[in-house]
Amino acid sequence: MKTPLDRPEILAWLRESDSNRLAELWQAADQTRQRHVGGEVHLRGLIELSNYCVRLCGYCGLRAPNRQLERYRMTEEEVIECARKAVQFGYGTVVLQSGEDPGLTCDGVEKLIRRIKAETPLAVTLSLGERDDDELAAWRAAGADRYLLRFETSNRRLYEAIHPPRNGKTSDRPAILRKLRELGYEVGSGIMIGIPGQTYDDLADDLERFAELDLDMIGVGPYLVHPETPLANPENCLSIPEEEQVPPTELMTYKVLALTRLQCPRANIPATTALATLNIARGRELGLERGANIVMPNLTPSKYRMMYEIYPAKACVRETAEQCHACLAGRIASIGRQVGAGRGDSRNFERRMEK
Ligand code: 5AD
Ligand code: FES
């Protein structure tokens, strides 16, 4: 299969239903993954720092108006304790993720980054939402290595419908992604698959956008309905012809994963928790065999996990950090792959730096 794919090919794969043909797509993605990023699976320890959020995203359970959710913010010591566990478990990276929480101040986060960098050899990835340029700069200066901010969909009308402005502030994630790159971060983005109102054409645009943005990391996962959010009500969704709507299914997620790998051969691509939520038995393994090379074991303390409910029935909420660690190590071994050593920087980023 020649890559990158052109648009008619992308669209044809997104609509493909023949399992023999799809087997070719899985194989092409798996070979491309092997050739460009190898057989190692890198582990990123996920620390869900805070579930406070000031924003109103139409799909996310952490949205500010959701009063059903008990809110928490981890202490510095709790975070450092998680980072120590990451080192014990042999992870090369921790991901500090939260809602968009002004209670996580610029100085507070900076201090966390400095401590993790001083006390451990870990790479630090931030996933803290849309923050100001000066904060992103301060955190980079403090030693943060990577930043994740999904653009969710490249369809502007759909994006705006599901991301209402807050205090007159509209969100411009493409501008933030450019800023992150300029600051020297390894840059990650991604989308949800099957958002109500998302068409096949939109999804093809997203896949083209991944390559244009020259992303170092790309996370894709199925959209999952959260009952306490506006999108759970069809009246709040963009209406499009039924045959145009992308289904939020496991199969569609594998197609997008595989096509993402073909579009961006050197990117780090995780088999996501949302995918594991659709198929707890084999989702992550199949993701790793259809383009992915990263998994993100959860390190969040048990007492907080249930409260980080961006969507319901999330995988791993009842497990401990130790259980997720053992579980994923076993799953990776079961498909004949190895856990990656070291930080596992994106090959795309390394190449960009060599130029
Ligand atoms: N279903 C699936 N993914 C979701 N996210 C947020 N809410 C949902 C949901 N209901 C994803 C978004 C966000 C990431 C952290 O989680 O893509 O960027
Ligand atoms: Fe958490 Fe398998 S990764 S239980």
Side-chain angles (χ1 to χ4, degrees), residues 152-330:
E152 315 294 358
T153 171
S154 46
N155 176 336
R156 278 215 60 144
R157 204 162 80 88
L158 177 58
Y159 184 86
E160 283 167 18
I162 63 179
H163 298 97
R166 178 187 64 100
N167 300 335
K169 187 186 158 209
T170 53
S171 93
D172 187 354
R173 293 194 184 179
I176 301 175
L177 291 172
R178 279 194 297 278
K179 185 72 196 179
L180 290 166
R181 189 176 162 109
E182 199 181 294
L183 289 168
Y185 280 96
E186 250 178 83
V187 180
S189 193
I191 57 158
M192 287 182 292
I193 299 157
I195 306 166
Q198 183 184 47
T199 68
Y200 284 86
D201 262 303
D202 293 339
L203 205 45
D205 287 341
D206 296 339
L207 284 156
E208 290 181 338
R209 185 68 61 84
F210 291 161
E212 279 159 29
L213 289 171
D214 189 27
L215 294 171
D216 304 312
M217 304 171 280
I218 306 172
V220 301
Y223 161 71
L224 300 160
V225 182
H226 190 302
E228 297 297 330
T229 62
L231 281 199
N233 181 348
E235 282 174 23
N236 297 320
C237 300
L238 278 196
S239 85
I240 54 168
E242 208 179 315
E243 66 279 10
E244 285 300 320
Q245 173 66 48
V246 171
T249 56
E250 192 187 347
L251 180 63
M252 188 57 68
T253 304
Y254 297 132
K255 290 183 189 178
V256 176
L257 258 179
L259 293 167
T260 300
R261 173 59 67 198
L262 296 176
Q263 289 294 94
C264 302
R266 294 174 187 79
N268 278 339
I269 303 176
T272 56
T273 305
L275 175 58
T277 299
L278 286 187
N279 180 351
I280 192 70
R282 299 260 311 141
R284 267 182 291 230
E285 287 85 336
L286 289 170
L288 289 171
E289 291 178 330
R290 296 170 177 183
N293 70 321
I294 302 282
V295 282
M296 299 173 66
N298 198 323
L299 287 172
T300 310
S302 298
K303 62 177 173 185
Y304 298 132
R305 275 189 196 210
M306 269 184 328
M307 292 187 248
Y308 203 83
E309 196 188 54
I310 51 187
Y311 47 78
K314 199 169 123 202
C316 301
V317 279
R318 283 186 207 83
E319 281 73 15
T320 62
E322 285 73 12
Q323 286 169 325
C324 288
H325 174 61
C327 169
L328 289 176

Side-chain angles (χ1 to χ4, degrees), residues 66-83:
N66 183 6
R67 295 278 140 68
Q68 305 300 317
L69 189 66
E70 190 188 335
R71 306 282 172 163
Y72 73 90
R73 188 178 297 120
M74 287 171 64
T75 65
E76 183 178 317
E77 279 316 312
E78 286 174 326
V79 177
I80 297 297
E81 194 47 45
C82 288

